[in-house]
Amino acid sequence: MVTADEVRSIALSLPGAAEKLSWGMPTFRAGGPSGKIFASLDDDDRTMGVTCPKEDREELIAAEPAKFFLREGHDEAYAWLRVRLAALDDTDELYAILVDSWRQAAPRRLLAAHPELGAGPKGRGGP
């Protein structure tokens, strides 16, 4: 089972990543502490939130509802998706999800400096 400590370790291993407490929860930002949030750990340490284009969420949730979900009354308005850590296959899958989310939040200069992490569609990343 993937743990919150593994989320933190992988998130902080990404270029320019920083951890900052927001809304009482750890958030992980691309481009330093004032950068855009690409992941957060929920207070239960069993779920995380990641950046995900709104148009992709429904398909992901339909394909794997035990893994992906929206927190009602909160996530609908944002390009955000929740992930149940216990439902992830392994840390390789966690890494792939975090990198996708990081690419969507990272400043262009950071993306350009790290082509090994891939650019995704239109140079901004994707799910």
Side-chain angles (χ1 to χ4, degrees):
M1 180 173 91
V2 172
T3 67
D5 287 338
E6 290 168 319
V7 171
R8 177 173 279 109
S9 176
I10 292 171
L12 292 174
S13 76
L14 297 172
E19 183 174 347
K20 182 177 180 181
L21 197 63
S22 296
W23 309 286
M25 296 180 291
T27 62
F28 303 95
R29 296 164 183 258
S34 61
K36 289 184 181 178
I37 297 171
F38 70 91
S40 68
L41 280 168
D42 290 349
D43 22 348
D44 63 5
D45 279 350
R46 296 184 310 192
T47 57
M48 70 174 177
V50 293
T51 303
C52 180
K54 287 181 182 181
E55 61 271 12
D56 296 337
R57 297 184 310 191
E58 189 175 318
E59 183 179 337
L60 289 167
I61 293 167
E64 298 186 82
K67 189 176 293 184
F68 301 113
F69 68 103
L70 296 178
R71 191 170 70 192
E72 288 187 37
H74 184 270
D75 295 334
E76 296 90 350
Y78 304 99
W80 203 246
L81 181 70
R82 303 289 166 165
V83 182
R84 291 179 182 92
L85 299 181
L88 294 175
D89 296 333
D90 53 29
T91 55
D92 289 341
E93 184 178 26
L94 172 64
Y95 178 81
I97 290 169
L98 287 171
V99 167
D100 281 345
S101 186
W102 175 88
R103 282 195 307 247
Q104 294 172 68
R108 291 191 189 282
R109 64 173 168 70
L110 199 52
L111 290 169
H114 296 281
E116 74 280 7
L117 293 176
K122 298 184 184 174
R124 295 301 299 165

